[in-house]
């Protein structure tokens, strides 16, 4: 039996700009560069102390990666080094270990990058061993118990500064059919028991999906030519207490007019501007923030990773009592196994065209789910 592993990877070749990533691989300006290498499992010196060799199985597709691909010195993470695998969270299987905390056959979640196989020091990365009894398939560690679920959790329970079961409140969620939004709508609708949750999504199918997530959820299609009229009809005479926004730009400009005085905006993301910053500008600042005395709270979920064990324990309670429904955790899984691995960058860009409903995942290895 061969002890040679042939690994595929996409390296970060040039830092991305505010525009779309450059996928013209025939030019030196391409954002990514395809590469292959070999690992010899019989080599006693293959792994340094603390290192593990991991086979990637599923990779997470997240808008935040656009920032990881950039050289922005003001980012919440250090710039990713050029010439190394493009960063991505994922789940994989340990094939070889020189780390006492992990053994061959363990399943882990870590920053694996756009790779089929990778070697890294597990003590220096956000690496965690996975308990397979918690899920019915490995991909659920990126959807049900992934960072997007943690993001929704802290947005609702921490950064909103709300107390569950404070009734007669009105919430608004943009990006409601996505991985974060669909969890957030469930938590708000079922545990906070508001008067209504307005859920903004794109297209009739996604509107129907978000309305299935809990009681008093009203879906609004932002792609509709009557969006503003539909928004006004859904809101009625009410005002919004908290707006959980993942989009910014025109969606934020419009909705901010309908918040209560002293209301709050929890800014989870700004996907409208990830490829063009001019589309995420907040133009309605004076009329909304100043006149209504609104508060805006931005956050990055990695600040709360230290509390992940406690959060997951509460999430398990929410699943048991019916607040969260695993059947509502939609996964859009795309195939990058075998020869399809070369499509990984193109598949990732689907985030910005509404390809996914729920969590967007790329599979790079067969035979695990």
């Amino acid at each position: 039996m061969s002890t040679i592993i042939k690994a595929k990877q996409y390296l970060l070749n040039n830092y991305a700009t505010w525009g779309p990533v450059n996928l013209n691989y025939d030019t030196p300006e391409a954002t990514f560069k395809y590469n292959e290498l070999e690992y010899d499992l019989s080599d006693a010196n293959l792994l340094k102390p603390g290192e593990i060799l991991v086979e990637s199985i599923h990779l997470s597709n997240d808008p935040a990666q656009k920032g990881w691909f950039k050289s922005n010195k003001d980012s919440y993470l250090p710039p990713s080094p050029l010439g190394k695998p493009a960063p991505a969270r994922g789940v994989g299987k340990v094939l070889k270990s020189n780390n006492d905390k992990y053994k061959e056959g363990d399943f882990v979640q870590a920053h694996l990058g756009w790779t089929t196989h990778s070697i890294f020091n597990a003590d220096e990365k956000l690496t965690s061993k996975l308990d397979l009894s918690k899920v019915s398939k490995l991909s659920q560690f990126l959807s049900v118990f992934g960072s997007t679920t943690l993001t929704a959790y802290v947005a609702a329970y921490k950064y909103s500064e709300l107390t569950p079961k404070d009734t007669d409140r009105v919430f608004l969620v943009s990006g409601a059919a996505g991985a974060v939004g669909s969890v957030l709508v469930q938590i708000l609708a079922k545990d906070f028991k508001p008067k209504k949750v307005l859920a903004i999504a794109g297209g009739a199918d996604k509107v129907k999906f978000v309305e299935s997530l809990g009681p008093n959820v009203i879906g609004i299609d932002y792609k509709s030519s009557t969006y503003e009229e539909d928004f006004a009809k859904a809101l009625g005479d009410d005002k919004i207490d908290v707006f959980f926004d993942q989009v910014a730009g025109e969606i934020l400009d419009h909705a901010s007019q309908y918040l209560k005085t002293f209301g709050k905006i929890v800014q989870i993301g700004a996907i409208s501007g990830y490829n063009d910053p001019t589309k995420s500008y907040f133009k309605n600042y004076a009329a909304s923030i100043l006149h209504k005395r609104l508060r805006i709270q931005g956050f990055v979920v990695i600040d709360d990773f230290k509390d992940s064990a406690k959060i997951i324990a509460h999430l398990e309670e929410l699943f048991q009592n019916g607040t969260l429904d695993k059947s509502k955790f939609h996964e859009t899984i795309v195939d990058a196994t075998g020869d399809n691995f070369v499509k990984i960058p193109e598949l990732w860009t689907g985030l910005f065209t509404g390809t996914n409903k729920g969590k967007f995942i790329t599979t790079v290895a067969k035979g695990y789910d």
Side-chain angles (χ1 to χ4, degrees):
M1 181 180 294
S2 174
T3 60
I4 302 296
I5 289 177
K6 295 184 177 181
K8 303 173 184 177
Q9 55 185 204
Y10 265 103
L11 307 179
L12 187 58
N13 188 50
N14 289 289
Y15 286 123
T17 66
W18 275 112
V21 293
N22 185 334
L23 301 182
N24 186 352
Y25 305 117
D26 294 329
T27 67
E29 293 79 24
T31 307
F32 312 107
K33 181 180 180 180
Y34 179 75
N35 186 50
E36 295 184 358
L37 69 163
E38 294 184 345
Y39 296 123
D40 185 353
L41 292 177
S42 66
D43 182 357
N45 298 313
L46 179 64
L47 301 179
K48 298 175 183 178
E51 290 186 334
I52 57 177
L53 168 61
V54 175
E55 178 185 20
S56 301
I57 300 171
H58 298 298
L59 299 177
S60 177
N61 295 308
D62 301 293
Q65 286 170 263
K66 181 62 187 297
W68 304 347
F69 298 155
K70 295 176 62 181
S71 61
N72 185 358
K73 296 179 181 179
D74 296 325
S75 175
Y76 56 90
L77 290 176
S80 302
L82 295 177
K84 298 295 183 181
R89 293 283 298 173
V91 296
K93 183 179 181 180
V94 177
L95 301 184
K96 192 176 180 69
S97 175
N98 194 12
N99 188 308
D100 292 339
K101 298 176 184 176
Y102 305 92
K103 65 180 186 299
E104 182 179 328
D106 283 345
F107 290 90
V108 296
Q109 183 171 178
H111 273 285
L112 301 179
W114 282 351
T115 65
T116 59
H117 302 79
S118 55
I119 291 174
F120 56 90
N121 189 314
D123 296 328
E124 296 176 358
K125 288 195 175 185
L126 291 172
T127 305
S128 57
K129 190 184 300 186
L130 303 178
D131 180 356
L132 300 189
S133 69
K134 294 183 180 295
V135 298
S136 59
K137 54 182 182 177
L138 278 170
S139 59
Q140 290 181 328
F141 283 111
L142 298 178
S143 58
V144 176
F145 291 111
S147 60
T148 47
T149 299
L150 267 62
T151 299
Y153 180 97
V154 295
Y157 290 106
K158 179 178 179 180
Y159 295 108
S160 74
E161 299 180 313
L162 293 171
T163 302
K165 301 176 181 61
D166 280 348
T167 58
D168 201 36
R169 293 188 183 274
V170 175
F171 302 131
L172 174 64
V173 180
S174 63
V180 174
S182 57
V183 181
L184 185 52
V185 169
Q186 290 185 68
I187 291 173
L188 294 174
K190 295 181 181 179
D191 204 23
F192 286 74
K193 304 189 184 306
K195 182 176 182 180
K196 65 178 73 168
V197 179
L198 306 186
I200 302 172
D205 181 57
K206 290 184 178 179
V207 166
K208 183 178 180 181
F209 166 60
V210 297
E211 290 184 334
S212 75
L213 296 175
N216 300 325
V217 178
I218 304 173
I220 308 172
D221 182 3
Y222 75 85
K223 293 183 177 181
S224 170
S225 60
T226 58
Y227 167 69
E228 293 192 3
E229 293 90 334
D230 297 339
F231 186 102
K233 181 179 179 181
L235 187 60
D237 295 329
D238 296 310
K239 295 292 183 182
I240 299 162
D241 291 272
V242 183
F243 176 22
F244 299 86
D245 183 34
Q246 303 182 75
V247 179
E250 292 181 1
I251 294 289
L252 174 59
D253 265 342
H254 172 258
S256 64
Q257 304 171 64
Y258 296 91
L259 268 77
K260 289 181 178 178
T261 301
F262 301 110
K264 187 170 188 180
I265 299 168
V266 178
Q267 201 66 44
I268 301 169
I271 195 171
S272 65
Y274 286 177
N275 286 331
D276 182 354
T278 64
K279 293 183 178 180
S280 67
Y281 290 166
F282 187 21
K283 303 173 184 177
N284 206 17
Y285 192 89
S288 294
I289 304 301
L290 294 179
H291 297 175
K292 289 179 173 290
R293 287 85 88 194
L294 303 179
R295 292 175 297 152
I296 300 179
Q297 172 69 64
F299 72 95
V300 179
V301 72
I302 60 171
D303 294 337
D304 297 284
F305 278 174
K306 64 184 184 300
D307 300 319
S308 58
K310 181 171 64 175
I311 293 171
I312 288 174
H314 189 201
L315 285 171
E316 290 176 330
E317 291 180 17
L318 297 177
F319 285 117
Q320 291 172 4
N321 66 26
T323 296
L324 291 176
D325 182 351
K326 287 184 180 179
S327 70
K328 300 296 185 181
F329 280 69
H330 280 235
E331 297 175 345
T332 299
I333 298 181
V334 290
D335 180 19
T337 61
D339 293 340
N340 285 335
F341 184 86
V342 296
K343 300 179 182 178
I344 277 185
E346 286 83 359
L347 293 172
W348 172 79
T349 62
L351 282 165
F352 305 101
T353 57
T355 296
N356 62 301
K357 181 167 69 174
K359 182 63 185 174
F360 192 23
I361 297 169
T362 298
T363 296
V364 295
K366 295 180 179 178
Y368 288 100
D369 282 334

